Amino acid sequence: EAVKEKGFISVGELVYNFPNPFRAEQGTTFRYVTNERVEFINVQIFNLAGMPVGVVSRSSSNEVRWQDASVHAGLYVYRLDVTLENGEVKKFKRMLEVYK
């Protein structure tokens, strides 16, 4: 058996929220997974008409939690922006589902 130090190159990148679908009063956690250090994560949540219904952000973390019991059941779109340690900004759009 041999072990090569720093042999793991990259996991690429992965964006998701869990659970999805979720109950509004329980909330969901948004995550950005990569080998690079995350300086800032920002998530904006919109209804299907494009109206903002929530925003959450966090520094020095690759995840952020959103919980809002007043949100109605239905489909929503979220935009997740991540600023990496090297200053690079990554932007992602995904769908999420809320039920009561």
Side-chain angles (χ1 to χ4, degrees):
E1 181 176 300
V3 176
K4 180 180 177 186
E5 287 192 32
K6 298 189 180 190
F8 187 72
I9 304 299
S10 175
V11 295
E13 58 189 12
L14 175 66
V15 173
Y16 67 96
N17 72 293
F18 182 82
N20 188 11
F22 66 97
R23 291 187 186 278
E25 64 272 2
Q26 294 174 334
T28 188
T29 300
F30 298 92
R31 290 191 178 101
Y32 173 74
V33 180
T34 187
N35 285 341
E36 301 172 73
R37 187 167 176 267
V38 174
E39 287 292 322
F40 188 75
I41 185 170
N42 185 68
V43 180
Q44 298 171 298
I45 301 97
F46 302 91
N47 64 21
L48 294 183
M51 302 295 295
V53 296
V55 61
V56 288
S57 57
R58 189 170 177 190
S59 296
S60 301
S61 179
N62 69 329
E63 69 179 39
V64 65
R65 183 157 180 77
W66 180 57
Q67 184 175 355
D68 186 347
S70 68
V71 172
H72 300 290
L75 293 176
Y76 293 84
V77 176
Y78 68 88
R79 177 178 161 169
L80 187 140
D81 296 342
V82 176
T83 303
L84 301 175
E85 181 177 38
N86 64 7
E88 184 179 3
V89 176
K90 303 274 188 158
K91 298 175 188 249
F92 305 91
K93 291 182 182 177
R94 299 279 193 274
M95 191 74 101
L96 62 109
E97 184 177 354
V98 179
Y99 64 97
K100 294 278 183 183

